[in-house]
Coordinates of all heavy atoms in Angstrom, one line a residue:
M1 N -14.0 -19.7 -0.5 CA -13.0 -19.0 -1.4 C -11.7 -19.8 -1.3 O -11.3 -20.4 -0.3 CB -12.8 -17.6 -0.9 CG -12.2 -16.6 -1.9 SD -11.7 -15.1 -1.2 CE -13.2 -14.3 -0.8
N2 N -11.0 -19.8 -2.4 CA -9.7 -20.4 -2.5 C -8.7 -19.8 -1.5 O -8.5 -18.6 -1.5 CB -9.2 -20.2 -4.0 CG -7.9 -20.8 -4.3 OD1 -7.1 -21.0 -3.4 ND2 -7.7 -21.2 -5.5
P3 N -8.1 -20.6 -0.7 CA -7.2 -20.0 0.4 C -6.0 -19.2 -0.2 O -5.6 -18.2 0.4 CB -6.7 -21.2 1.2 CG -7.1 -22.4 0.4 CD -8.2 -22.0 -0.5
I4 N -5.5 -19.7 -1.3 CA -4.4 -18.9 -1.9 C -4.8 -17.6 -2.4 O -4.1 -16.6 -2.2 CB -3.8 -19.8 -3.1 CG1 -3.1 -21.0 -2.5 CG2 -2.7 -18.9 -3.9 CD1 -2.5 -22.0 -3.5
F5 N -6.0 -17.5 -2.9 CA -6.6 -16.2 -3.4 C -6.7 -15.3 -2.2 O -6.4 -14.1 -2.3 CB -7.9 -16.5 -4.0 CG -8.6 -15.3 -4.6 CD1 -8.0 -14.7 -5.7 CD2 -9.7 -14.8 -4.1 CE1 -8.6 -13.5 -6.3 CE2 -10.3 -13.7 -4.6 CZ -9.8 -13.0 -5.7
Q6 N -7.2 -15.8 -1.0 CA -7.3 -15.0 0.2 C -6.0 -14.4 0.6 O -5.9 -13.3 1.0 CB -7.9 -15.8 1.3 CG -9.4 -16.0 1.2 CD -10.0 -16.8 2.4 OE1 -9.5 -17.8 2.7 NE2 -11.0 -16.2 3.0
V7 N -4.9 -15.2 0.5 CA -3.6 -14.7 0.9 C -3.2 -13.6 0.0 O -2.6 -12.6 0.4 CB -2.5 -15.9 0.9 CG1 -1.1 -15.3 1.0 CG2 -2.8 -16.9 2.0
V8 N -3.4 -13.8 -1.3 CA -3.0 -12.8 -2.3 C -3.8 -11.5 -2.0 O -3.2 -10.4 -2.0 CB -3.3 -13.3 -3.7 CG1 -3.2 -12.1 -4.7 CG2 -2.3 -14.4 -4.1
I9 N -5.0 -11.6 -1.8 CA -5.9 -10.4 -1.5 C -5.4 -9.7 -0.2 O -5.2 -8.5 -0.2 CB -7.4 -10.8 -1.4 CG1 -7.9 -11.2 -2.8 CG2 -8.2 -9.6 -0.9 CD1 -7.8 -10.2 -3.8
S10 N -5.2 -10.4 0.8 CA -4.8 -9.8 2.1 C -3.4 -9.1 1.9 O -3.1 -8.1 2.5 CB -4.8 -10.8 3.3 OG -3.8 -11.8 3.1
T11 N -2.5 -9.8 1.2 CA -1.2 -9.1 0.9 C -1.3 -7.8 0.2 O -0.7 -6.8 0.5 CB -0.3 -10.1 0.1 OG1 -0.2 -11.3 0.8 CG2 1.1 -9.5 -0.1
I12 N -2.2 -7.8 -0.8 CA -2.4 -6.6 -1.6 C -3.0 -5.5 -0.7 O -2.6 -4.4 -0.7 CB -3.3 -6.9 -2.8 CG1 -2.5 -7.7 -3.8 CG2 -3.8 -5.6 -3.4 CD1 -3.3 -8.2 -5.0
L13 N -4.0 -5.9 0.1 CA -4.6 -4.9 1.0 C -3.6 -4.3 2.0 O -3.6 -3.2 2.3 CB -5.8 -5.5 1.8 CG -7.0 -5.8 0.9 CD1 -8.1 -6.5 1.7 CD2 -7.5 -4.6 0.2
R14 N -2.7 -5.2 2.5 CA -1.7 -4.7 3.4 C -0.7 -3.7 2.7 O -0.2 -2.8 3.4 CB -0.9 -5.9 4.0 CG -0.7 -5.8 5.4 CD -0.1 -7.0 6.1 NE -0.5 -8.2 5.5 CZ 0.4 -9.2 5.0 NH1 1.7 -9.0 5.1 NH2 -0.1 -10.3 4.5
L15 N -0.5 -3.9 1.4 CA 0.5 -3.0 0.7 C -0.2 -1.8 0.1 O 0.4 -0.9 -0.4 CB 1.1 -3.8 -0.4 CG 2.0 -4.9 0.1 CD1 2.5 -5.7 -1.1 CD2 3.2 -4.4 0.9
K16 N -1.5 -1.7 0.3 CA -2.3 -0.6 -0.3 C -2.1 0.6 0.7 O -2.3 0.4 1.9 CB -3.7 -1.0 -0.5 CG -4.5 -0.1 -1.3 CD -5.8 -0.8 -1.7 CE -6.8 0.1 -2.4 NZ -7.5 1.0 -1.5
R17 N -1.8 1.7 0.2 CA -1.7 2.9 1.0 C -2.5 4.1 0.4 O -2.5 4.2 -0.8 CB -0.2 3.3 1.1 CG 0.3 3.1 2.5 CD 1.7 3.6 2.7 NE 2.6 2.5 2.8 CZ 3.9 2.6 3.1 NH1 4.4 3.8 3.2 NH2 4.6 1.6 3.2
T18 N -3.1 4.8 1.3 CA -3.8 6.0 0.8 C -3.0 7.3 1.1 O -2.6 7.4 2.3 CB -5.2 6.0 1.5 OG1 -5.9 4.8 1.2 CG2 -6.0 7.2 0.9
C19 N -2.8 8.1 0.2 CA -2.1 9.3 0.3 C -2.9 10.3 1.2 O -4.1 10.5 1.0 CB -1.9 10.0 -1.0 SG -1.1 11.6 -0.9
P20 N -2.3 10.8 2.3 CA -3.0 11.7 3.2 C -3.3 13.1 2.5 O -4.1 13.8 2.9 CB -2.0 11.9 4.4 CG -0.7 11.6 3.8 CD -0.9 10.6 2.7
K21 N -2.5 13.4 1.4 CA -2.7 14.7 0.8 C -3.7 14.6 -0.3 O -4.7 15.5 -0.3 CB -1.3 15.1 0.2 CG -1.3 16.5 -0.3 CD 0.1 16.9 -0.7 CE 0.2 18.2 -1.4 NZ 1.5 18.5 -2.0
C22 N -3.6 13.7 -1.2 CA -4.6 13.7 -2.3 C -5.6 12.5 -2.2 O -6.5 12.4 -3.1 CB -3.8 13.6 -3.7 SG -3.0 12.0 -4.0
T23 N -5.4 11.7 -1.2 CA -6.3 10.6 -0.9 C -6.4 9.5 -2.0 O -7.3 8.7 -2.0 CB -7.8 11.0 -0.6 OG1 -8.4 11.5 -1.7 CG2 -7.8 12.1 0.5
E24 N -5.4 9.5 -3.0 CA -5.4 8.5 -3.9 C -4.8 7.2 -3.3 O -3.9 7.3 -2.4 CB -4.5 8.9 -5.1 CG -5.1 10.0 -6.0 CD -6.2 9.5 -6.9 OE1 -6.4 8.2 -7.0 OE2 -6.8 10.3 -7.6
S25 N -5.2 6.1 -3.7 CA -4.7 4.8 -3.2 C -3.7 4.2 -4.2 O -3.9 4.4 -5.4 CB -5.8 3.8 -2.9 OG -6.6 4.3 -1.9
Q26 N -2.7 3.6 -3.6 CA -1.7 2.9 -4.5 C -1.1 1.8 -3.7 O -1.1 1.7 -2.5 CB -0.6 3.9 -4.9 CG 0.1 4.6 -3.8 CD 0.7 5.9 -4.3 OE1 1.6 6.0 -5.1 NE2 0.1 7.0 -3.7
I27 N -0.6 0.8 -4.5 CA 0.1 -0.3 -3.9 C 1.6 0.0 -3.9 O 2.2 0.4 -4.8 CB -0.1 -1.6 -4.8 CG1 -1.6 -1.9 -5.0 CG2 0.6 -2.8 -4.2 CD1 -2.4 -2.2 -3.8
V28 N 2.2 -0.2 -2.7 CA 3.6 0.0 -2.5 C 4.3 -1.3 -2.6 O 3.8 -2.4 -2.2 CB 3.9 0.8 -1.2 CG1 3.2 2.1 -1.2 CG2 3.6 -0.1 0.0
P29 N 5.6 -1.4 -3.1 CA 6.3 -2.6 -3.1 C 6.5 -3.2 -1.7 O 6.6 -2.4 -0.7 CB 7.7 -2.2 -3.7 CG 7.5 -0.9 -4.3 CD 6.3 -0.2 -3.6
A30 N 6.5 -4.5 -1.6 CA 6.7 -5.1 -0.2 C 8.0 -4.7 0.4 O 8.0 -4.5 1.7 CB 6.7 -6.6 -0.4
S31 N 9.0 -4.4 -0.3 CA 10.3 -3.9 0.2 C 10.2 -2.6 0.9 O 11.0 -2.2 1.7 CB 11.4 -3.9 -0.9 OG 11.0 -3.1 -1.9
K32 N 9.2 -1.8 0.5 CA 9.0 -0.4 1.1 C 7.9 -0.4 2.1 O 7.4 0.6 2.6 CB 8.5 0.5 -0.1 CG 9.5 0.7 -1.2 CD 10.7 1.5 -0.8 CE 11.6 1.8 -2.0 NZ 12.8 2.5 -1.6
R33 N 7.5 -1.6 2.6 CA 6.4 -1.8 3.5 C 6.6 -0.9 4.8 O 5.6 -0.4 5.3 CB 6.3 -3.2 3.9 CG 5.1 -3.7 4.6 CD 5.0 -5.2 4.5 NE 6.2 -5.9 4.7 CZ 6.7 -6.2 5.9 NH1 5.9 -6.0 7.0 NH2 7.8 -6.8 6.1
L34 N 7.9 -0.8 5.3 CA 8.1 -0.1 6.5 C 8.7 1.3 6.3 O 9.1 1.9 7.3 CB 9.0 -1.0 7.4 CG 8.5 -2.4 7.7 CD1 9.6 -3.2 8.4 CD2 7.3 -2.3 8.5
E35 N 8.7 1.7 5.1 CA 9.3 3.0 4.8 C 8.3 4.0 4.3 O 7.2 3.6 3.8 CB 10.4 2.9 3.7 CG 11.5 1.9 4.1 CD 12.5 1.7 3.0 OE1 12.6 2.5 2.1 OE2 13.1 0.6 2.9
N36 N 8.6 5.3 4.3 CA 7.8 6.3 3.6 C 7.9 6.0 2.1 O 9.0 5.7 1.6 CB 8.3 7.7 3.9 CG 7.8 8.2 5.3 OD1 7.3 7.4 6.1 ND2 8.0 9.4 5.5
V37 N 6.8 6.2 1.4 CA 6.9 6.1 0.0 C 6.4 7.4 -0.6 O 5.6 8.1 0.1 CB 6.1 4.9 -0.6 CG1 6.7 3.6 -0.2 CG2 4.6 5.0 -0.2
R38 N 6.8 7.7 -1.8 CA 6.3 8.9 -2.5 C 5.1 8.6 -3.2 O 5.0 7.7 -4.0 CB 7.4 9.4 -3.4 CG 7.0 10.7 -4.1 CD 8.1 11.6 -4.3 NE 8.8 11.9 -3.0 CZ 9.8 12.7 -2.9 NH1 10.4 13.2 -4.0 NH2 10.3 13.0 -1.7
C39 N 4.1 9.5 -3.0 CA 2.8 9.3 -3.8 C 3.1 9.6 -5.3 O 3.8 10.5 -5.6 CB 1.8 10.4 -3.3 SG 0.3 10.4 -4.2
K40 N 2.7 8.6 -6.1 CA 2.9 8.8 -7.5 C 2.0 9.8 -8.2 O 2.1 10.1 -9.3 CB 2.8 7.4 -8.2 CG 1.5 6.8 -8.2 CD 1.5 5.4 -8.9 CE 0.2 4.7 -8.7 NZ 0.3 3.3 -9.3
F41 N 1.0 10.2 -7.4 CA 0.1 11.2 -8.0 C 0.4 12.6 -7.7 O 0.4 13.5 -8.5 CB -1.4 10.9 -7.5 CG -1.8 9.5 -7.8 CD1 -1.7 8.4 -6.9 CD2 -2.4 9.2 -9.1 CE1 -2.2 7.2 -7.3 CE2 -2.8 8.0 -9.5 CZ -2.7 6.9 -8.5
C42 N 0.8 12.9 -6.4 CA 1.1 14.3 -6.0 C 2.5 14.5 -5.5 O 2.9 15.6 -5.2 CB 0.1 14.7 -5.0 SG 0.3 14.0 -3.4
G43 N 3.3 13.4 -5.2 CA 4.6 13.5 -4.8 C 4.8 13.6 -3.3 O 5.9 13.8 -2.8
A44 N 3.7 13.6 -2.5 CA 3.8 13.7 -1.1 C 4.4 12.4 -0.5 O 4.2 11.3 -1.1 CB 2.4 14.0 -0.5
D45 N 5.0 12.5 0.7 CA 5.4 11.3 1.4 C 4.2 10.6 2.1 O 3.5 11.3 2.7 CB 6.5 11.6 2.4 CG 7.9 11.8 1.8 OD1 8.1 11.2 0.7 OD2 8.7 12.4 2.4
I46 N 4.1 9.3 1.9 CA 3.1 8.6 2.6 C 3.7 7.7 3.6 O 4.5 6.8 3.3 CB 2.3 7.7 1.6 CG1 1.8 8.5 0.4 CG2 1.1 7.1 2.3 CD1 1.2 7.7 -0.6
P47 N 3.4 7.9 4.9 CA 4.1 7.1 6.0 C 3.5 5.7 6.0 O 2.4 5.5 5.5 CB 3.7 7.8 7.3 CG 2.5 8.6 6.9 CD 2.5 8.9 5.5
P48 N 4.3 4.7 6.5 CA 3.8 3.4 6.5 C 2.6 3.3 7.5 O 2.5 4.0 8.5 CB 5.0 2.6 7.1 CG 5.9 3.5 7.7 CD 5.6 4.9 7.0
R49 N 1.7 2.3 7.3 CA 0.6 2.1 8.1 C 1.0 1.6 9.5 O 1.9 0.7 9.5 CB -0.4 1.2 7.5 CG -1.7 1.2 8.1 CD -2.6 0.2 7.4 NE -2.7 0.5 6.0 CZ -3.7 0.0 5.2 NH1 -4.6 -0.8 5.7 NH2 -3.7 0.3 3.9
K50 N 0.5 2.1 10.5 CA 0.9 1.6 11.9 C 0.3 0.3 12.2 O -0.9 0.1 11.8 CB 0.5 2.6 12.9 CG 1.3 3.9 12.8 CD 2.7 3.7 13.2 CE 3.5 5.0 13.2 NZ 3.6 5.6 11.8
Ligands
LIG1 ZN1 -0.8 12.0 -3.2

Protein backbone atom coordinates (compact mmCIF):
# COMPACT_ATOMS: atom_id res chain seq x y z
CA MET A 1 0.00 0.00 0.00
CA ASN A 2 1.12 3.54 -0.67
CA PRO A 3 2.71 4.84 2.60
CA ILE A 4 1.12 8.27 2.24
CA PHE A 5 -2.26 6.63 1.92
CA GLN A 6 -1.58 4.67 5.13
CA VAL A 7 -0.77 7.90 6.99
CA VAL A 8 -3.99 9.49 5.77
CA ILE A 9 -6.04 6.48 6.82
CA SER A 10 -4.47 6.24 10.26
CA THR A 11 -5.03 9.97 10.80
CA ILE A 12 -8.68 9.64 9.90
CA LEU A 13 -9.11 6.63 12.17
CA ARG A 14 -7.54 8.54 15.05
CA LEU A 15 -9.99 11.41 14.53
CA LYS A 16 -12.98 9.16 14.25
CA ARG A 17 -15.14 9.13 17.34
CA THR A 18 -18.20 7.12 18.22
CA CYS A 19 -20.91 8.81 20.22
CA PRO A 20 -21.61 6.92 23.48
CA LYS A 21 -25.24 7.97 23.32
CA CYS A 22 -26.37 7.31 19.75
CA THR A 23 -23.33 5.26 18.61
CA GLU A 24 -23.00 7.29 15.41
CA SER A 25 -19.43 7.76 14.23
CA GLN A 26 -18.03 11.05 13.08
CA ILE A 27 -14.70 12.63 12.25
CA VAL A 28 -13.66 15.41 14.61
CA PRO A 29 -11.29 18.22 13.60
CA ALA A 30 -7.65 17.64 14.55
CA SER A 31 -7.78 20.80 16.67
CA LYS A 32 -10.50 19.18 18.82
CA ARG A 33 -8.54 15.98 19.22
CA LEU A 34 -8.04 16.46 22.98
CA GLU A 35 -11.37 18.12 23.76
CA ASN A 36 -14.94 17.02 24.12
CA VAL A 37 -16.85 17.45 20.92
CA ARG A 38 -20.56 17.71 20.40
CA CYS A 39 -22.23 14.89 18.53
CA LYS A 40 -23.69 16.31 15.34
CA PHE A 41 -26.44 13.70 15.42
CA CYS A 42 -27.80 13.91 18.97
CA GLY A 43 -25.90 16.81 20.60
CA ALA A 44 -24.28 14.73 23.34
CA ASP A 45 -20.72 15.44 24.40
CA ILE A 46 -18.22 12.88 23.16
CA PRO A 47 -15.05 12.68 25.28
CA PRO A 48 -11.68 12.30 23.58
CA ARG A 49 -10.38 8.80 23.14
CA LYS A 50 -7.92 7.79 25.87
ZN1 LIG B 1 -24.78 11.15 19.36
